Amino acid sequence: MAGPRVVIIGAGVVGAALADEISARGWTEVTVVDQGPLPATGGSSSHAPGLVFQANSSKTMTELARYTVEKFCSLDVDGQPCFLQVGGLEVATTPERVTELHRRQGWLTSWGVESRIVTADECVDMHPLVNRDRVLAGLHIPTDGLAKAVLAVEAQIRRATERGVTFLARHEVLDVLQADGEVTGVRTDQGDLQADIVVCCAGIWGPRIARMAGMNLPLTPLAHQLAWTGPVPALAGQTEEAVRPILRHQDADLYYRDRHDTLGIGYYGHRPMPITADEILSVDEADGMPSVLKFTEDDFADAWTETQSLLPATREAKIEEAINGLFSFTTDGLPLLGESPDVKGFWVAEAVWVTHSAGVGRAVAEWLVDGHCSSFDLHECDVNRFEPHQLAPEYVLARDCRNFVEVYDILHPLQPSGDPRPLRTSPFYARQQELGAFFQEANGWERPHWYEANAGLVEGRSIVTPNDWAARYWSPIVGAEAQATRETVAMYDMTALKRLEVSGRGAAGFLERLCTGKVAKSVGSVTYTLLLDHDGGIRSDITVARLAPDLFQVGANGNLDLDWFTRHLPADGTVQVRDITPGTCCIGLWGPLARDVLQPLTDEDFSAAGLKYFRAKRAHIGSVPVTAMRLSYVGELGWELYTTADQGLKLWDTLWRAARPLGGIAAGRGAFNSLRLEKGYRSFGTDMTYEHDPYEAGVGFAVKADKEDFVGKAALERRRADVRRRLTCLTIEDPRAVVMGKEPVYDGQRAVGHVTSAAFGHTIGKGIAYAWLPAELAVAGRALHIGYFDQRVEAVVAEEPLFDPAMSRLRG
C-alpha cells in the first residue's frame, strides 16, 4: 500500500473514476464508501440515460468530456462495452437554431473535436425516425455516444480493486471527523475510517456531506424527466441496443436515445423541480432508487406531443416507463472541485454528470497526487471561486433553477443574468442610474456597460454597427465613449475588481515568494506581476502596491486569488490577508485631460514627476482621502483612485463637477474592453489561464528571472525554452465582422487555434481579436481566417500594441 490514507465518499461514476485514476498513480491506501449496493448505488449514475455529448462553450468541459469518451471506449465488463460510440446529432427546427449549430460547431473545432454541419436529408439518413419536414439542418459529432454508466462504474471498481483499493457498500456516512482544522477520518454506521484525505463524490447528497465538514456547496438537486416508450414498430427487430446517434432537439428541450426497439426521451422543458439534499431518501428508505422520484405526467405532456411531431413513428407507441430523476445543478453550470478553504484534507468532486466523470476523476487525481492538475485548466471549476453572496441559499436556488431552464437555450455571451439582482452596487450606483447606465453583472456587482446620457456623443462620429449577433446587448454609445476617452477624460467604475490587503511584518517576504516580479520595493511602488502554480502555469496576474513597509494592496482577479494567498500564509501569524473589496471603491480617471481634472482638486503634486507611472500615494481629492495609483488599463494618462465606500459618492461628485466643464464623461465596460485590447492588455480567465505560461501569453516581462525563488520558478525555467504557441493579436478589416470569442482560427483549411477576447477598436478603426496560435504562425503580416458561424472572416497577425506603442500617452 502506498500514499496517504484516502476515503472517497460515493461510488458512482465520479467516485469510481477517482479511485481508478488515483490508484493508477500509485496511491492505493484508498477506501471508497457508499450507502448503496455496488455497482448500482442508487444515485444519479444508476438512472442516468448515458448521453455523452462533447459540445460546450467551455474548453475545459469539452476536454473533460473528451477524456471520458476516450476512457470509456477502452473499458468493458466481461466483454460488454462501457460506451456505445454511435455519435451525436443535434437538429435544428428553426433558423435561429441553425445559426446556433454553426456556433457550436465552431466551439468543437476550437477545442479539437471532429464535427460537421449536415443537411436535413443527412439528418434523416443518420436517424430515419426524424420527420424531414421539421428539420432544417443538424450538427454531427461522430465521437459522441452512450455511456453505460453502471458498467463503467463496475469496470473502474474492478481496476481499482486489483491495485488494492477497498470498496465498502452499504456504509452510510454519518460524519466527517476533524481535529485542529484537518480531516482525520469518516464515521459510518458501521464504524470509523481513518483518513488523511476525504473526497466527497456524493452527487445529489453532496451538500449534506459537505456540511459535515462545515462547507456550503452551491448545488441543488433538480428532477429531470426521462421516459421510455414501449416497442416502436418502426424499430422492430433491432437487436443491438443502439444503432442511431443520440439525438438532441434543443429547440424543444428534448433528447432521445435508442434502447433496442424502444426510445428514451429526456425533457428539460418542464418547470424546475428542486429539492434539498436532506429531502432525498436513504437507500433503505426508498422503494427503488432514492435518486428517482415519482413521474409527474402533466409536466411531460408537451414533450410527448412534440416527440410525435419530430419522430412520427412514436405515434404508434406509448410511454411505458417514466421517472423524475435527480441531477445536480450549480449556479454557473460548472462542477465543484477542490479542497475546503477551512478543513485541510476535505475535498469535493461534485456536480459532475456522466459526460465529464472520467475527466474529473483524472483531474482530481492529478491535483491530489501532484499538487496541481496538468491535464486540464480547472480555474472555472474550482469550488473556491465563489463570492460569499453566491453561497446564499436564495441565490443558489434561484440561479440553479435558472440554469435548469436555460440548459438548452441559445445564450448570448453578454446575455444578462437573472434574479436575484441587484446584489452588489458601488457607491456610484445612484449616479449611474441617473445617467441611464445599461448594467451587466460581474461577480454580483452591477457594472455599467454604457450610459444613455452619452447618446448625443454618437452624432457626427463614425461608429460602425457590427453584425446582428455582436450588436446584441451593444450600443453605438460604446464606440462614442471609447473615442471620447481618448479625446478628453472619462470616469470608469472599477469597484468590481477584487482588492486584497496583505499586511504584517512578513508581508513583503510572503509576496516575494508568490510573485514572479520584485514587489518588495520602495513605499509607493506598484508592480504588475504574476502568480504561478508549481508547474509554471499562470494562476493570476495582479498588481501589488506597497503602501507602507508592512502594508500592500493587491489588485486581484477574484476569490481564487484570495484562496491561493490564504493557503500559503505562514503558520507563525506574521502575515494577514484581508478582502477589502466590499468596504472600498475605485474610479478610473483616464484620458488626456485627466490631470486637468485632478490637479486643481488637491494640494498633492500629480505632475508626471510628482507621481510617476506605476507609483502610488495617499492624497485628498477635495475632502475625500484616496489612494491614487498611476495605472491605466485603457492606455491613457490617469489614475485609479481608491477610497472607502462611505466616501465613494462624494469622490464621484467631486470628480464629476471638475470633469464636466472639460467635456468629461462617465464610460462603461464596453468602451473599456475595446480600449484595453487596443493596448494589448490581457484578461486572466479569458486570454490566459492555468494552462498557459508567461512566455506563451506575452507577459514574460512580468517575470524577474534573477529573483532567488518564487512558486513555479523551476518549472517555468524548463518551459521557457519550449514555446510552441503564442497569444497573438489579429486585426480584422471588415468593420462589421466583429467576433465575440471562442471562434476557431484557420490557416487555409486547417484549424490552428481559437479566439480569446475580441472587440472593435474604435480608435484604430478595425476589429481586434486575440487568439492562441502555433508559434510559427504568430508572425506579423500572416493572413489567417476566423470561423464565425458559417462564415470565414479575413484576419491578419499584427504587431502589438496597436495603440501608442511608445507609451507616450500613459507616461505623459
Side-chain angles (χ1 to χ4, degrees), residues 183-261:
V183 156
T184 60
V186 168
R187 176 155 294 156
T188 78
D189 59 352
Q190 298 190 45
D192 292 354
L193 300 169
Q194 301 304 305
D196 305 301
I197 295 171
V198 173
V199 187
C200 177
C201 304
I204 53 178
W205 290 278
R208 182 166 64 84
I209 300 296
R211 200 162 56 241
M212 297 174 184
M215 197 173 181
N216 185 6
L217 288 186
L219 181 160
T220 303
L222 281 111
H224 160 58
Q225 292 197 305
L226 176 65
W228 295 93
T229 70
V232 178
L235 303 182
Q238 181 176 319
T239 56
E240 293 182 65
E241 179 176 346
V243 296
R244 280 164 290 277
I246 59 175
L247 181 66
R248 296 211 290 168
H249 176 27
Q250 291 170 300
D251 283 321
D253 297 302
L254 285 161
Y255 64 78
Y256 306 92
R257 59 149 295 177
D258 288 12
R259 189 177 68 178
H260 303 292
D261 62 347

Side-chain angles (χ1 to χ4, degrees), residues 601-638:
L601 301 176
T602 180
D603 293 333
E604 293 290 333
D605 183 4
F606 277 86
S607 67
L611 187 61
K612 295 179 180 179
Y613 187 50
F614 266 82
R615 297 289 297 179
K617 69 177 172 182
R618 300 274 174 73
H620 283 85
I621 306 303
S623 61
V624 180
V626 302
T627 298
M629 299 186 195
R630 192 163 168 207
L631 326 174
S632 170
Y633 282 91
V634 301
E636 293 291 338
L637 169 69

Side-chain angles (χ1 to χ4, degrees), residues 361-380:
R362 177 175 181 174
V364 176
E366 289 180 355
W367 200 349
L368 286 166
V369 175
D370 302 331
H372 59 85
C373 177
S374 57
S375 296
F376 309 97
D377 163 34
L378 296 182
H379 86 274
E380 61 186 6

Side-chain angles (χ1 to χ4, degrees), residues 519-806:
V519 297
K521 298 184 288 191
S522 62
V523 172
S525 64
V526 183
T527 306
Y528 174 81
T529 186
L530 307 173
L531 303 177
L532 303 183
D533 212 327
H534 296 277
D535 65 346
I538 301 171
R539 287 197 64 95
S540 189
D541 65 333
I542 61 175
T543 55
V544 179
R546 191 171 200 174
L547 304 180
D550 294 339
L551 177 66
F552 296 82
Q553 181 172 311
V554 175
N557 280 300
N559 215 56
L560 290 180
D561 293 345
L562 174 60
D563 181 67
W564 185 252
F565 280 171
T566 302
R567 291 182 188 280
H568 287 83
L569 284 173
D572 60 8
T574 57
V575 183
Q576 294 80 46
V577 175
R578 187 166 66 97
D579 182 359
I580 61 172
T581 312
T584 57
C585 58
C586 179
I587 295 173
L589 182 71
W590 295 315
L593 301 184
R595 187 172 286 120
D596 297 325
V597 172
L598 194 64
Q599 189 61 75
L601 301 176
T602 180
D603 293 333
E604 293 290 333
D605 183 4
F606 277 86
S607 67
L611 187 61
K612 295 179 180 179
Y613 187 50
F614 266 82
R615 297 289 297 179
K617 69 177 172 182
R618 300 274 174 73
H620 283 85
I621 306 303
S623 61
V624 180
V626 302
T627 298
M629 299 186 195
R630 192 163 168 207
L631 326 174
S632 170
Y633 282 91
V634 301
E636 293 291 338
L637 169 69
W639 302 269
E640 293 179 357
L641 303 171
Y642 299 88
T643 192
T644 52
D646 61 320
Q647 296 276 293
L649 187 58
K650 182 65 174 177
L651 177 62
W652 178 281
D653 289 344
T654 300
L655 294 171
W656 184 252
R657 282 193 298 269
R660 288 302 290 157
L662 300 175
I665 64 167
R669 189 71 182 181
F672 177 93
N673 195 49
S674 171
L675 296 171
R676 70 107 179 159
L677 286 176
E678 290 183 336
K679 280 299 293 179
Y681 293 143
R682 279 65 168 143
S683 174
F684 178 81
T686 303
D687 298 317
M688 55 191 186
T689 65
Y690 293 2
E691 66 177 305
H692 306 117
D693 69 47
Y695 305 111
E696 297 171 328
V699 289
F701 64 87
V703 178
K704 300 305 178 188
D706 59 350
K707 283 185 64 173
E708 279 192 20
D709 198 16
F710 52 82
V711 172
K713 181 181 180 182
L716 192 60
E717 289 174 345
R718 293 190 295 270
R719 294 175 69 154
R720 183 175 187 175
D722 189 27
V723 176
R724 301 183 183 183
R725 58 184 174 180
R726 293 193 184 277
L727 183 62
T728 307
C729 179
L730 305 177
T731 56
I732 303 167
E733 290 293 336
D734 183 351
R736 283 182 52 80
V738 176
V739 301
M740 301 289 291
K742 302 187 178 182
E743 298 88 356
V745 179
Y746 293 90
D747 179 29
Q749 296 303 309
R750 182 172 61 107
V752 293
H754 67 274
V755 173
T756 58
S757 294
F760 190 78
H762 294 282
T763 307
I764 66 168
K766 297 179 181 180
I768 306 168
Y770 272 78
W772 281 101
L773 298 175
E776 64 271 17
L777 297 180
V779 179
R782 180 73 180 231
L784 300 166
H785 289 85
I786 298 172
Y788 189 63
F789 295 96
D790 58 347
Q791 306 167 25
R792 293 288 178 93
V793 175
E794 293 183 359
V796 63
V797 176
E799 294 278 5
E800 56 174 331
L802 299 170
F803 178 79
D804 189 26

Side-chain angles (χ1 to χ4, degrees), residues 39-279:
T41 62
S44 300
S45 304
S46 301
H47 73 256
L51 278 72
V52 175
F53 47 89
Q54 298 162 86
N56 198 295
S57 62
S58 163
K59 181 173 184 281
T60 296
M61 295 297 281
T62 296
E63 290 176 339
L64 292 170
R66 181 167 55 196
Y67 181 78
T68 300
V69 168
E70 292 170 356
K71 182 175 183 180
F72 282 10
C73 282
S74 71
L75 298 178
D76 71 272
V77 175
D78 301 329
Q80 298 181 76
C82 294
F83 194 74
L84 307 177
Q85 200 161 40
V86 292
L89 178 64
E90 300 181 8
V91 295
T93 58
T94 63
E96 293 78 13
R97 184 64 65 173
V98 174
T99 302
E100 172 70 358
L101 292 186
H102 281 286
R103 184 168 72 126
R104 296 173 67 79
Q105 200 270 337
W107 294 339
L108 288 160
T109 303
S110 290
W111 316 146
V113 177
E114 179 188 355
S115 66
R116 66 185 182 98
I117 299 295
V118 295
T119 66
D121 287 337
E122 288 176 298
C123 290
V124 176
D125 287 343
M126 294 178 186
H127 204 298
L129 299 190
V130 168
N131 183 349
R132 172 63 180 80
D133 294 336
R134 290 291 315 279
V135 176
L136 302 178
L139 171 62
H140 181 233
I141 307 98
T143 52
D144 284 355
L146 291 168
K148 307 287 288 179
V150 174
L151 277 181
V153 168
E154 184 173 358
Q156 292 175 102
I157 286 176
R158 288 185 180 186
R159 287 167 34 140
T161 301
E162 290 174 357
R163 301 188 192 105
V165 174
T166 300
F167 286 82
L168 300 176
R170 298 286 185 179
H171 279 62
E172 182 179 0
V173 173
L174 305 177
D175 200 5
V176 175
L177 306 177
Q178 312 162 48
D180 300 321
E182 297 186 16
V183 156
T184 60
V186 168
R187 176 155 294 156
T188 78
D189 59 352
Q190 298 190 45
D192 292 354
L193 300 169
Q194 301 304 305
D196 305 301
I197 295 171
V198 173
V199 187
C200 177
C201 304
I204 53 178
W205 290 278
R208 182 166 64 84
I209 300 296
R211 200 162 56 241
M212 297 174 184
M215 197 173 181
N216 185 6
L217 288 186
L219 181 160
T220 303
L222 281 111
H224 160 58
Q225 292 197 305
L226 176 65
W228 295 93
T229 70
V232 178
L235 303 182
Q238 181 176 319
T239 56
E240 293 182 65
E241 179 176 346
V243 296
R244 280 164 290 277
I246 59 175
L247 181 66
R248 296 211 290 168
H249 176 27
Q250 291 170 300
D251 283 321
D253 297 302
L254 285 161
Y255 64 78
Y256 306 92
R257 59 149 295 177
D258 288 12
R259 189 177 68 178
H260 303 292
D261 62 347
T262 70
L263 284 179
I265 307 169
Y267 186 45
Y268 287 104
H270 55 79
R271 61 192 168 91
M273 293 183 273
I275 68 171
T276 68
D278 294 327
E279 293 176 291

